[in-house]
């Protein structure tokens, strides 16, 4: 088959949870650029619609939908809307997730100071927030005998970072679930169903900006340590995810399932 045809995504329908975030929005825009009808799912239409308007301004097709990734009924309503309007769904990207300060251990704290309530929120957002959309929307894929799920993992899943206990544990579970679901769907519904994950390294976002950068833009001590252990010597940029994303969404990876692709500038390969 012609390579251009293998990469052809035009007319596909995708849904991105957390699609209004830094990485989610970037992924939505690159898919739309390649002709994918892109759905942006979030808890507020205002934020998701902002990404939709950027896509439309650039000539792409997109739509905004509102749902909490921890609410099955709301997700089912979105599923029914997509089937009613487009008749199919081809790609699900589980980009919703994140961390909160209460699930981390500050340098002057110990594990005994961590609050269960905050830990539970991080585990729910990242784990249930990936598993539940996968459960709801993969039903479409099972009926179609085709569909792609891409989960968002993290380098912290493979190499736990000091202080970041809750998020590291949650993302490690994402890696495990990705492999489990890949086997579950392909073995029961056919080779047309694939599940993989992308593990970003360190990208500057709202949640980690103050941890990695000082107000003047210089590196914090934490930021310096990370760059020292990143062979490419910089933080990631949203566009750095494009290649892995397009590969996993296209037929270029049609015999690839159950893997995690690191996009980290070599951080995960570095040792002290």
């Amino acid at each position: 088959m012609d390579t251009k045809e293998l990469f052809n995504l035009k007319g596909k329908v995708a849904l991105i949870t957390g699609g209004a975030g830094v990485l989610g929005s970037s992924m939505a825009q690159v898919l739309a650029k390649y002709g994918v009808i892109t759905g942006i799912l979030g808890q507020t239409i205002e934020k998701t619609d902002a990404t939709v308007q950027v896509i439309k301004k650039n000539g792409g097709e997109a739509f905004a939908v509102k749902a909490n990734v921890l609410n099955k009924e709301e997700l089912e309503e979105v599923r029914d809307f997509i089937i009613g309007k487009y008749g199919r769904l081809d790609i699900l990207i589980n980009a919703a997730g994140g961390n909160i300060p209460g699930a981390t251990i500050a340098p002057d704290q110990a594990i005994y100071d961590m609050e269960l309530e905050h830990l539970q929120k991080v585990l729910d957002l990242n784990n249930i927030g990936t598993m539940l959309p996968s459960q709801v929307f993969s039903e479409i894929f099972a009926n179609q005998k085709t569909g792609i799920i891409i989960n968002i993992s993290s380098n912290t899943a493979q190499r736990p970072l000091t202080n970041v206990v809750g998020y590291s544990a949650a993302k490690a579970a994402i890696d495990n679930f990705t492999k489990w679901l890949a086997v579950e769907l392909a073995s029961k519904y056919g080779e047309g169903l694939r599940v993989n994950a992308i593990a970003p390294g360190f990208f500057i976002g709202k949640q980690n900006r103050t941890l990695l950068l000082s107000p003047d833009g210089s590196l914090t001590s934490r930021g310096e340590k990370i760059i020292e252990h990143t062979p490419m010597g910089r933080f990631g940029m949203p566009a750095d995810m494009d290649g892995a994303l397009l590969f996993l969404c296209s037929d270029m990876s049609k015999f690839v399932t159950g893997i995690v692709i690191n996009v980290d500038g070599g951080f995960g390969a570095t040792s002290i």
Side-chain angles (χ1 to χ4, degrees):
M1 184 180 291
D2 188 284
T3 303
K4 291 182 179 179
E5 188 59 32
L6 288 174
F7 264 120
N8 183 16
L9 296 173
K10 189 173 179 60
K12 299 286 188 180
V13 181
L15 180 68
I16 305 179
T17 72
V22 174
L23 293 183
S25 177
S26 177
M27 288 188 286
Q29 291 176 57
V30 73
L31 287 181
K33 180 180 178 181
Y34 280 83
V36 177
I37 302 167
T38 308
I40 315 299
L41 184 147
Q43 293 195 60
T44 62
I45 286 293
E46 291 77 16
K47 289 184 178 180
T48 55
D49 192 55
T51 301
V52 168
Q53 294 309 315
V54 171
I55 290 172
K56 289 183 175 180
K57 183 179 179 181
N58 292 324
E61 184 174 353
F63 61 93
V65 284
K66 178 182 177 181
N68 184 338
V69 291
L70 303 180
N71 188 307
K72 187 175 182 180
E73 290 183 357
E74 292 182 3
L75 292 172
E76 289 174 337
E77 290 177 2
V78 172
R79 180 193 62 196
D80 294 344
F81 166 77
I82 291 173
I83 290 299
K85 186 173 179 63
Y86 298 102
R88 63 183 297 106
L89 180 67
D90 301 290
I91 301 164
L92 169 67
I93 300 175
N94 287 308
N99 197 13
I100 60 175
T104 62
I105 306 299
D108 60 345
Q109 293 181 314
I111 190 170
Y112 317 109
D113 299 308
M114 183 176 61
E115 296 184 25
L116 177 60
E117 178 185 0
H118 294 162
L119 174 63
Q120 190 66 60
K121 286 181 179 179
V122 169
L123 295 176
D124 286 349
L125 177 58
N126 291 280
N127 296 154
I128 305 303
T130 293
M131 291 180 174
L132 197 56
S134 296
Q135 180 190 44
V136 170
F137 294 105
S138 69
E139 188 173 354
I140 300 175
F141 300 157
N143 291 330
Q144 295 173 168
K145 303 299 181 184
T146 181
I148 293 167
I149 296 176
I150 299 175
N151 296 325
I152 302 302
S153 179
S154 168
N155 268 193
T156 65
Q158 304 156 32
R159 186 179 179 183
L161 301 180
T162 56
N163 306 337
V164 192
V165 57
Y167 187 72
S168 295
K171 290 303 187 181
I174 294 296
D175 284 8
N176 184 280
F177 176 66
T178 296
K179 296 174 183 179
W180 181 89
L181 189 60
V183 174
E184 169 76 4
L185 296 183
S187 61
K188 291 183 178 178
Y189 303 103
E191 65 179 74
L193 281 74
R194 299 190 285 109
V195 186
N196 293 293
I198 299 174
F202 289 88
F203 291 68
I204 301 297
K206 294 179 181 178
Q207 294 183 342
N208 66 1
R209 179 175 294 275
T210 57
L211 184 66
L212 303 178
L213 297 177
S214 301
D216 63 1
S218 62
L219 295 173
T220 62
S221 59
R222 179 82 163 184
E224 288 177 351
K225 289 180 181 179
I226 288 167
I227 294 300
E228 286 174 3
H229 290 85
T230 303
M232 289 189 176
R234 65 173 175 85
F235 295 118
M237 297 180 290
D240 292 329
M241 299 272 286
D242 293 358
L245 175 69
L246 293 171
F247 170 70
L248 293 177
C249 285
S250 72
D251 283 346
M252 287 294 285
S253 59
K254 64 181 180 180
F255 198 54
V256 176
T257 196
I259 71 164
V260 181
I261 297 179
N262 284 7
V263 181
D264 64 358
F267 181 88
T270 307
S271 61
I272 298 174

